[in-house]
Amino acid sequence: MSRPSDHRRSQNERRLKDLKMCQLCASTNRVQAHHIFEYAKGGPSTVEGMISLCLDCHQRMIHKDSEIRIKKKENHITTFGRGGK
Ligand SMILES: [Zn+2]
Ligand SMILES: [Zn+2]
């Protein structure tokens, strides 16, 4: 089981790896680490299981639309919107 301290460390590591830059819009404003796989649904608290997003993208694109997910494959990121299936 991951402990909160591991979680936080992974988030920090994720941001450093992504050069503290939003991986969707390249903003460096208030970048946070988002769990690609929901933490509540058993997503891993690892660097690989997260992605750096600015506050804007994080809230607007991810958590306000449950249909949108991020698929990160190597360095390629795709978002899936409501009409994008
Ligand atoms: Zn962004
Ligand atoms: Zn998030």
Side-chain angles (χ1 to χ4, degrees), residues 54-71:
C54 69
L55 191 67
D56 235 30
C57 290
H58 195 185
Q59 293 191 336
R60 269 194 221 163
M61 300 188 64
I62 308 296
H63 290 292
K64 281 194 179 172
D65 186 346
S66 57
E67 294 287 321
I68 289 179
R69 288 168 304 170
I70 291 175
K71 186 179 182 184

Side-chain angles (χ1 to χ4, degrees), residues 11 32-36 38 51 53 58-59 62-63:
Q11 287 183 309
Q32 309 170 326
H34 166 73
H35 284 83
I36 297 171
E38 280 182 58
I51 184 171
L53 297 172
H58 195 185
Q59 293 191 336
I62 308 296
H63 290 292

Side-chain angles (χ1 to χ4, degrees), residues 36-50:
I36 297 171
F37 307 104
E38 280 182 58
Y39 186 56
K41 290 180 181 171
S45 282
T46 60
V47 177
E48 289 73 25
M50 296 184 193

